[in-house]
Amino acid sequence: MAVRAVRGAVQLERDEAGHMEERVGALLTAVLERNGLTADDLISIWFTATPDLHSDFPAAAARRLGIVDVPLICAQELDIEGAMPRVVRILAHIESDKPRADIAHVYLGAAAALRKDIAQ
């Protein structure tokens, strides 16, 4: 079993705790489903949020999905002029037998423009 990393992002329509929970939950669910993973396959998840998001911790959505015994951490993205606003990104470390090239990175909605090279 190898350690792999899965990237993903989602843009929120507004900075509201319930909306963040919904969109980040959808992102995490898509990452798990598209990679054939369960919570037991997760090693850790890093969440970042753009500086304009402060209504809740993105990791709270993972806890509400039942991801309770996986280390999670939140951080703030750099405040770069012209960057896409209201974005939550993830970097999930997983155990998987898949080759690196077969990992499905998930960029939902407008966030797909962030990484056209790996967004699926």
Side-chain angles (χ1 to χ4, degrees):
M1 189 80 54
V3 174
R4 300 287 184 221
V6 183
R7 293 289 316 267
V10 63
Q11 184 182 40
L12 279 62
E13 295 173 16
R14 58 193 174 280
D15 183 22
E16 186 177 279
H19 181 62
M20 181 180 292
E21 178 181 346
E22 174 189 317
R23 299 305 298 142
V24 174
L27 174 61
L28 291 170
T29 298
V31 165
L32 293 173
E33 289 177 354
R34 293 181 192 180
N35 287 288
L37 302 170
T38 68
D40 287 339
D41 299 315
L42 297 171
I43 297 169
S44 64
I45 306 174
W46 280 81
F47 295 85
T48 64
T50 51
D52 51 3
L53 294 175
H54 40 70
S55 62
D56 201 0
F57 294 100
R63 297 292 186 226
R64 290 182 189 107
L65 280 178
I67 301 172
V68 295
D69 61 351
V70 174
L72 309 175
I73 193 165
C74 296
Q76 188 175 69
E77 282 287 333
L78 296 173
D79 191 10
I80 304 297
E81 188 174 328
M84 184 179 287
R86 300 177 317 280
V87 175
V88 174
R89 292 173 173 86
I90 66 163
L91 174 62
H93 300 96
I94 64 168
E95 292 181 319
S96 176
D97 288 327
K98 287 185 174 189
R100 186 177 291 139
D102 292 346
I103 298 296
H105 304 281
V106 179
Y107 290 77
L108 299 180
L114 296 170
R115 289 298 306 264
K116 292 178 184 176
D117 58 324
I118 63 172
Q120 298 177 350

